[in-house]
Amino acid sequence: MAKELGADSGVRVRVASAEAMEDFAPESESAILGVLSATYSAAPYLAALAMDRVLEPGGAIKLVCGTGASPSYERTYTVGSIRTKNLLGAFAIAALTNQAGPFLHNIIQDRRLAVRTMASAAQYAQIFNSLQYDTHATASVVYPDKHTIFVGIKPGGSATMSARDLYEADAATLRAQLIEIDPRYYNDLD
């Protein structure tokens, strides 16, 4: 389900997961922004295909992704008296002990079941490169140890900037805003 925002500004903004964009018309969006959302996709390739389908030629995608590991989402799965960190192993045990239904129900109800490894900007760059996008992936300006940034430009349009140039312009604006808020950021960002 998509949520519409921004009607007052004259800019249409729709909020939706990649999985919920099936109702969007093909090539109907000029830009896609994902902040720590696409990184948790269980199927990054399918998420990328959904974004590609709705993005107009020359449109831009910017994704803030994780670095690839999410220890805060690690958990232990319990089936009867057996405990494991391996979800597939836990499901196999549940299936063998005729507890698969209740086990899956509990997993679906538990919102902490985020993907234990996150799709990184480099993974999205590889996927979108295969779709002929101009791409750029790099560490975040603010949290380089936690976040990676992916920028992609869909082929076929009249884009005036490369993905790298778009990232650099965005990063420069962010640096300026952070320095304006607190000049101490200047030393931290260089």
Side-chain angles (χ1 to χ4, degrees):
M1 182 173 109
K3 181 177 178 182
E4 298 239 4
L5 305 170
D8 299 346
S9 68
V11 176
R12 181 181 55 127
V13 177
R14 297 198 289 178
V15 179
S17 67
E19 294 82 3
M21 291 192 298
E22 68 271 357
D23 294 337
F24 290 28
E27 299 184 349
S28 61
E29 306 302 317
S30 57
I32 295 173
L33 175 63
V35 179
L36 295 174
S37 53
T39 195
Y40 289 106
S41 176
Y45 184 76
L46 295 178
L49 289 179
M51 289 183 262
D52 177 61
R53 185 186 72 77
V54 303
L55 191 65
E56 67 185 28
I61 297 174
K62 179 179 179 186
L63 304 175
V64 178
C65 298
T67 57
S70 179
S72 62
Y73 286 102
E74 288 186 15
R75 63 171 287 192
T76 301
Y77 304 95
T78 304
V79 181
S81 62
I82 300 171
R83 295 171 55 87
T84 179
K85 289 189 182 246
N86 181 314
L87 176 61
L88 186 57
F91 178 72
I93 294 165
L96 290 171
T97 59
N98 293 319
Q99 299 176 51
F103 176 77
L104 287 176
H105 176 76
N106 289 338
I107 293 298
I108 291 167
Q109 296 301 313
D110 187 349
R111 300 194 94 160
R112 294 179 300 150
L113 178 69
V115 179
R116 286 183 62 196
T117 57
M118 296 184 267
S120 69
Q123 288 172 289
Y124 275 104
Q126 183 178 14
I127 294 166
F128 281 101
N129 277 333
S130 74
L131 299 172
Q132 306 304 310
Y133 277 61
D134 174 31
T135 65
H136 182 68
T138 190
S140 167
V141 169
V142 180
Y143 296 112
D145 57 329
K146 295 181 182 178
H147 302 143
T148 56
I149 309 294
F150 165 79
V151 178
I153 308 288
K154 187 172 181 173
S158 58
T160 58
M161 297 181 98
S162 70
R164 182 182 188 94
D165 290 344
L166 181 57
Y167 167 78
E168 293 295 336
D170 189 40
T173 300
L174 176 60
R175 282 187 186 99
Q177 290 170 343
L178 291 173
I179 291 166
E180 187 175 310
I181 292 167
D182 186 344
R184 292 176 292 179
Y185 277 113
Y186 181 75
N187 293 330
D188 293 341
L189 296 175
D190 285 336

